[in-house]
């Protein structure tokens, strides 16, 4: 994109003075005052500012992002040249953020004329505009054309140019309030196209053989159900079974089952028997010799509880997951950050009002952490995990959450914070009832017994491994030498408390660790049982007698 005008402004002081006044593009005001960055991680260079505290940034593709002093931001041009066309041709352009070409020429011209007259009461703009346009080589465009350029640029802001506070991670609001299509509509577009192809009898193998396209086609079929779709649904179901248990496999089984055809019962049974996961995930399915009405009833029950026909009713994470699988990474990231910001704001408001954070946010935060990690965005995952930790009341869940928090802090290079988090984790191991309600612990006295056998579980092993991982990576920070020694000592003490097999497994793992690679096993689902009965034991399983 062209930066011809920007070069001229930097080379010719007189033109720079004209741009600064009366058109409020001042090269001397390029300091935004707070650290910001793009969510995508793309380059961002502050080049000018205005007298309201706003800043103009040039992005990697040349687009100009304007951020005001009130926490809003938006693309205002595809290049500095185009942005200056808007600023020079539409003095007082902030007043036109709500205008769009659809408003019509009459309304646009009237609004622009009114603002210009207000500006002319204080200073001239006409001669100055003519001189600056000539000096920069900018074309003369009508207000309607300029509103069209501004409107199109603003709509490009999200997701690729979402601006964040660099320290806290929260997103700026959109500069304008023009409606955007919902996330599901953008994500589902390819699926609708593929569903049309399938219905036309083409691209069956191409769509069914591609995991992302197959999932989207099934989702499109979920919201556009037709009687003649049964053959293609069977085809998609067979291929989806190869991916083992997925939400889309369950959806495909439901869509086939809703047709209530007896000949589909053997196929559904075969899919259910693919592996243990599918057997569990499709539990309750009628047997191959069942009545078709029973099949339809089973499918309707799952449809009512899990699916439905309105895409707006689907959870956010359905669409962000499908967006990620399509490669629409920034679209998924932007939606997830917006959701995290909403929860973060509620947490701030509740803390301000002296109220506890709502428990209903816990499951969403856990999903947000997972989704951000899938995107490789440890920074935002860490934000979500920090909010998640205080919501855990059971000792096992608090320790699991603190363990994950320490890992994320370590991966972000926040070694001091990781060391402090591990100290809190050890405090919980020592006093499980501190900080928790103790409810649901399973003990008659009301005390929390969920960590009663942590030394014999995978959780205990992961705790020790994370202590050593933090000590190993934090050793590069000489300012933390004392803290690193303390963590190392604590790791040794915890290792000594593990059961014999668990300790041996950890020692083998540590012996094979030659770098700071993070073992994904440190992610402990809080829904997992706290003791050996939950299947998380680090002890060997006794050999079972042969079925023969």
């Amino acid at each position: 994109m062209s930066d011809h005008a920007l070069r001229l402004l930097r080379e010719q002081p007189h033109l720079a003075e004209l741009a600064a006044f009366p058109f409020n593009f001042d090269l001397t005001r390029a300091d935004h005052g707070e650290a910001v960055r793009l969510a995508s991680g793309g380059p961002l260079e502050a080049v000018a500012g205005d007298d309201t505290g706003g800043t103009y940034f040039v992005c990697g593709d040349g687009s100009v992002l304007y951020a005001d002093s009130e926490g809003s931001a938006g693309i205002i041009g595809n290049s500095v040249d185009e942005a200056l066309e808007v600023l020079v041709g539409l003095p007082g352009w902030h007043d036109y953020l709500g205008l769009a070409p659809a408003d019509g020429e009459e309304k646009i011209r009237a609004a622009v004329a009114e603002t210009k007259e207000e500006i002319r009461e204080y200073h001239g703009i006409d001669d100055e505009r003519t001189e600056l346009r000539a000096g920069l080589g900018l074309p003369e465009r009508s207000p309607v054309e300029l509103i069209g350029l501004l409107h199109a640029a603003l709509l490009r802001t999200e997701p690729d140019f979402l601006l964040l506070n660099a320290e806290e991670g929260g997103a700026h609001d959109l500069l304008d309030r023009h409606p955007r299509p919902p996330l599901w509509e953008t994500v589902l577009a390819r699926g609708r196209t593929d569903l049309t192809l399938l219905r036309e009898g083409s691209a069956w193998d191409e769509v069914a053989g591609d995991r992302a396209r197959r999932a989207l086609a099934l989702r499109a079929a979920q919201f556009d159900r037709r009687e003649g779709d049964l053959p293609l649904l069977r085809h998609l179901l067979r291929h989806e079974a190869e991916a083992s248990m997925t939400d889309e496999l369950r959806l495909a089984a439901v869509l086939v089952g809703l047709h209530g055809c007896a000949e589909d019962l053997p196929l559904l049974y075969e899919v259910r028997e693919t592996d243990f996961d599918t057997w569990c995930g499709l539990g309750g399915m009628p047997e191959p010799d069942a009545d078709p009405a029973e099949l339809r009833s089973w499918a309707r029950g799952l449809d009512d509880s899990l699916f439905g026909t309105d895409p707006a009713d689907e959870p956010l994470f359905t669409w962000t997951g499908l967006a990620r699988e399509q490669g629409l990474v920034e679209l998924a990231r932007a939606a997830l950050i917006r959701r995290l910001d909403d929860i973060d704001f509620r947490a701030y408001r509740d803390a301000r009002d002296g109220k506890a954070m709502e428990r209903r946010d816990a499951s969403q935060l856990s999903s947000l952490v997972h989704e951000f990690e899938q995107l490789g965005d440890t920074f935002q995952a860490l934000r979500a995990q920090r909010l998640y930790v205080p919501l855990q009341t059971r000792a096992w869940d608090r320790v699991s959450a603190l363990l994950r928090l320490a890992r994320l802090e370590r991966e972000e290079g926040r070694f001091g914070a990781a060391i402090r988090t591990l100290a809190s984790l050890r405090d919980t191991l020592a006093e499980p009832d501190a900080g928790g309600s103790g409810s649901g612990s399973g003990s008659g006295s009301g005390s929390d017994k969920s960590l009663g056998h942590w030394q014999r579980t995978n959780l205990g092993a992961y705790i020790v491994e994370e202590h050593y991982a933090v000590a190993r990576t934090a050793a590069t920070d000489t300012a933390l030498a004392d803290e690193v020694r303390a963590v190392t000592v604590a790791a040794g003490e915890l290792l000594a408390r593990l059961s014999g097999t668990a300790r041996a497994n950890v020692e083998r793992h540590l012996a094979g660790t030659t770098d700071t690679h993070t073992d994904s096993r440190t992610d402990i689902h809080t829904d997992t049982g706290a003791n050996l009965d939950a299947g998380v034991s680090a002890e060997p399983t006794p050999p079972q007698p042969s079925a023969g």
Side-chain angles (χ1 to χ4, degrees):
M1 308 300 288
S2 172
D3 63 352
H4 173 72
L6 183 59
R7 290 200 306 271
L8 289 175
L9 291 179
R10 287 170 169 170
E11 293 168 358
Q12 301 186 37
H14 175 63
L15 293 179
E17 290 173 5
L18 274 177
F21 183 82
F23 301 105
N24 225 355
F25 186 85
D26 191 342
L27 299 182
T28 68
R29 294 178 180 266
D31 182 6
H32 189 56
E34 67 174 6
V36 293
R37 65 177 179 86
L38 293 178
S40 66
L44 195 67
E45 178 191 5
V47 296
D50 62 23
D51 59 10
T52 68
T55 307
Y56 299 93
F57 297 89
V58 176
C59 305
D61 69 342
S63 297
V64 175
L65 179 73
Y66 175 80
D68 66 21
S69 59
E70 303 300 319
S72 299
I75 295 292
I76 62 168
N78 293 333
S79 66
V80 175
D81 290 16
E82 186 176 294
L84 283 167
E85 284 186 52
V86 171
L87 302 186
V88 174
L90 297 173
W93 63 273
H94 296 80
D95 295 341
Y96 314 135
L97 293 172
L99 288 176
D103 291 317
E105 182 174 354
E106 183 178 351
K107 180 177 179 179
I108 290 172
R109 288 188 179 277
V112 171
E114 180 180 357
T115 301
K116 284 182 179 178
E117 287 305 313
E118 293 174 356
I119 293 174
R120 288 187 183 108
E121 293 180 8
Y122 299 97
H123 55 76
I125 54 173
D126 299 304
D127 292 341
E128 292 83 355
R129 177 169 52 204
T130 300
E131 183 178 359
L132 188 56
R133 275 177 173 162
L136 298 179
L138 301 178
E140 183 174 348
R141 298 183 190 270
S142 71
V144 177
E145 287 181 283
L146 292 171
I147 289 296
L149 290 176
L150 178 60
H151 178 70
L154 289 167
L155 292 181
R156 292 179 52 236
T157 303
E158 200 165 310
D160 293 325
F161 303 100
L162 182 63
L163 191 66
L164 306 181
N165 178 292
E167 295 182 2
E168 299 175 0
H172 284 55
D173 294 329
L174 289 171
L175 197 60
D176 68 282
R177 294 295 180 266
H178 294 300
R180 269 78 169 174
L183 174 65
W184 63 261
E185 186 173 307
T186 304
V187 174
L188 203 56
R190 178 67 183 273
R192 287 171 163 168
T193 299
D194 279 342
L195 181 59
T196 299
L197 291 175
L198 292 171
R199 284 170 173 165
E200 293 172 349
S202 60
W204 274 42
D205 291 336
E206 291 87 341
V207 173
D210 184 305
R211 168 71 185 99
R213 294 180 68 180
R214 184 173 66 242
L216 285 169
L218 282 166
R219 289 294 176 176
Q222 174 186 349
F223 306 116
D224 181 12
R225 304 181 183 192
R226 300 187 186 179
E227 198 64 34
D229 283 348
L230 185 54
L232 68 89
L233 292 173
R234 290 167 175 159
H235 187 65
L236 294 174
L237 172 62
R238 289 188 182 95
H239 280 77
E240 188 63 23
E242 297 173 3
S244 189
M245 193 60 229
T246 64
D247 288 339
E248 283 70 37
L249 179 65
R250 187 181 286 112
L251 171 61
V254 166
L255 293 176
V256 168
L258 286 171
H259 287 265
C261 294
E263 65 257 40
D264 287 323
L265 282 165
L267 168 62
L268 290 167
Y269 183 80
E270 178 186 344
V271 168
R272 189 189 72 175
E273 298 297 306
T274 300
D275 56 35
F276 181 73
D277 289 338
T278 55
W279 187 85
C280 294
L282 296 176
M285 180 186 292
E287 296 299 315
D289 57 351
D291 187 275
E294 188 179 348
L295 170 62
R296 188 180 289 110
S297 176
W298 170 80
R300 282 176 178 167
L302 283 181
D303 191 28
D304 291 343
S305 62
L306 298 177
F307 299 111
T309 58
D310 188 348
D313 291 339
E314 282 291 322
L316 169 70
F317 305 110
T318 295
W319 302 118
T320 56
L322 290 170
R324 171 167 42 79
E325 289 186 9
Q326 287 187 79
L328 302 175
V329 172
E330 296 312 318
L331 186 67
R333 192 197 312 274
L336 293 168
I337 290 174
R338 293 292 188 193
R339 177 61 58 85
L340 178 54
D341 284 352
D342 289 343
I343 297 174
D344 201 357
F345 176 74
R346 288 201 300 273
Y348 163 77
R349 183 190 59 199
D350 290 344
R352 180 197 61 193
D353 297 341
K355 297 190 299 183
M357 189 174 172
E358 296 184 26
R359 285 284 305 166
R360 66 185 175 91
D361 288 328
S363 62
Q364 285 206 51
L365 287 168
S366 180
S367 296
L368 282 166
V369 174
H370 173 75
E371 287 297 310
F372 280 126
E373 290 206 88
Q374 291 296 304
L375 293 174
D377 195 336
T378 310
F379 180 87
Q380 295 293 346
L382 179 54
R383 278 186 67 203
Q385 188 68 12
R386 283 173 175 161
L387 292 171
Y388 178 76
V389 168
L391 295 175
Q392 309 313 304
T393 56
R394 198 173 65 132
W396 174 279
D397 298 337
R398 291 199 307 276
V399 167
S400 299
L402 287 167
L403 179 61
R404 193 176 204 179
L405 179 62
R407 176 178 62 77
L408 291 169
E409 288 169 335
R410 171 171 61 81
E411 291 178 351
E412 274 291 292
R414 305 186 182 204
F415 303 134
I419 290 170
R420 291 189 293 274
T421 296
L422 290 179
S424 297
L425 186 156
R426 295 193 301 276
D427 289 343
T428 303
L429 290 178
E431 297 184 58
D433 289 316
S437 66
S439 61
S441 64
S443 66
S445 64
S447 61
D448 192 331
K449 302 296 185 182
S450 61
L451 287 171
H453 299 284
W454 69 267
Q455 301 93 333
R456 299 177 57 208
T457 66
N458 288 339
L459 176 60
Y462 303 156
I463 289 170
V464 174
E465 289 176 4
E466 186 58 35
H467 274 72
Y468 280 117
V470 169
R472 186 169 59 249
T473 53
T476 59
D477 188 341
T478 56
L480 294 174
D482 291 341
E483 289 85 347
V484 168
R485 280 192 290 272
V487 168
T488 304
V489 170
E493 293 172 347
L494 291 169
L495 179 62
R497 296 176 64 185
L498 295 183
S499 66
T501 302
R503 183 167 60 251
N505 288 339
V506 171
E507 289 171 344
R508 279 196 300 270
H509 175 72
L510 293 175
T513 302
T514 58
D515 54 26
T516 58
H517 172 70
T518 302
D519 194 317
S520 61
R521 296 178 301 164
T522 57
D523 293 335
I524 308 297
H525 295 293
T526 56
D527 290 337
T528 304
N531 54 40
L532 300 183
D533 294 335
V536 292
S537 174
E539 298 285 4
T541 302
Q544 300 296 316
S546 169

